[in-house]
Amino acid sequence: VLGETVKAVAASRRMSAAQSASSVLIENLMYGAAMVLLIFGGLMVFFFEFAPSQNVKIAGSVGCAALALPVIAVSFLVVKKVRLLPGLLEWLKAKNIRRKFLDRAEGKVAPFEDCVHGFYERHKGLFAVIFLVEIAAGLTGVLEAYIILAIITSNTSFSAAWVAEAAVRVVNTVFAFVPMRVGVEEGGAALSLGAAGYAASTGVAPGVIRKIRTFFWVGWGLLMLGRASWAKDEAGPDPTPAGAAKVLR
């Protein structure tokens, strides 16, 4: 929740709050849909390539459906332009729940929903491109897992890498509240690769290596953020009328 809020706040410096919030929601929906396809593909590979027990098949199918249904439902609402927020606000106001706050928020809901509902209709070509980029991002994770497995073990396959990546995506989604997914990502990879016939140590290694990569890029991002803030402080206040207006606000 905090991460998505920070994205929206950062983007709102260059666009309206409704546009920034809707852009974050749209990107999350497209990412979620792409990851559901990746996870579903990994599940099918696991079923047919490694022949798990019937109980594992049932649990995997239920888990995949639990991840897919919310994405499908929200995507349907967006494509069909179903507006839920105005009705929800009216219901809350009828219950006298923070009525003054809801009166202020009511004027911001319509622009937000217009941005969300209108994106697919006005930018279908861009929608397709971004969706393909999201899928490609998931496949790079599969490739990364394959390279790691190829280095640490002589017995690897693209199928095992796909299963491991799909399991990691599921675990990261379910345990998104765990900071940096410490221990969770490693455990998910170990369980999935263990079911595919790999040793526990082999399953843990990809998660540990990826954690090192994550810490590197987080550190690099914080460094760039610090440099940008330092440069802004050295530049001083914006002397233009727009800068003066920001100060007054």
Side-chain angles (χ1 to χ4, degrees), residues 59-125:
S61 300
V62 172
C64 189
L67 291 173
L69 286 178
V71 175
I72 294 173
V74 176
S75 300
F76 175 81
L77 295 176
V78 171
V79 172
K80 294 297 183 181
K81 300 181 181 179
V82 178
R83 296 180 178 270
L84 295 178
L85 293 180
L88 177 60
L89 290 179
E90 288 298 328
W91 181 81
L92 292 174
K93 288 167 66 175
K95 298 292 184 180
N96 291 320
I97 301 176
R98 301 195 66 180
R99 191 177 184 87
K100 292 183 179 179
F101 171 78
L102 295 176
D103 287 336
R104 293 195 303 268
E106 195 169 15
K108 301 177 181 179
V109 167
F112 169 77
E113 286 199 322
D114 288 339
C115 291
V116 174
H117 291 302
F119 179 80
Y120 176 75
E121 182 179 357
R122 294 192 297 264
H123 308 287
K124 291 183 179 180

Side-chain angles (χ1 to χ4, degrees), residues 137-163:
L139 292 177
T140 58
V142 177
L143 179 61
E144 181 187 49
Y146 178 83
I147 293 173
I148 293 172
L149 289 174
I151 292 173
I152 63 178
T153 179
S154 57
N155 180 25
T156 186
S157 66
F158 191 78
S159 298
W162 195 338
V163 169

Side-chain angles (χ1 to χ4, degrees), residues 8 14 20 30 44 46 51 60 112 162 177 245:
R14 299 180 178 270
S20 63
M30 298 175 74
M44 293 299 100
F46 183 60
F112 169 77
W162 195 338
F177 56 89

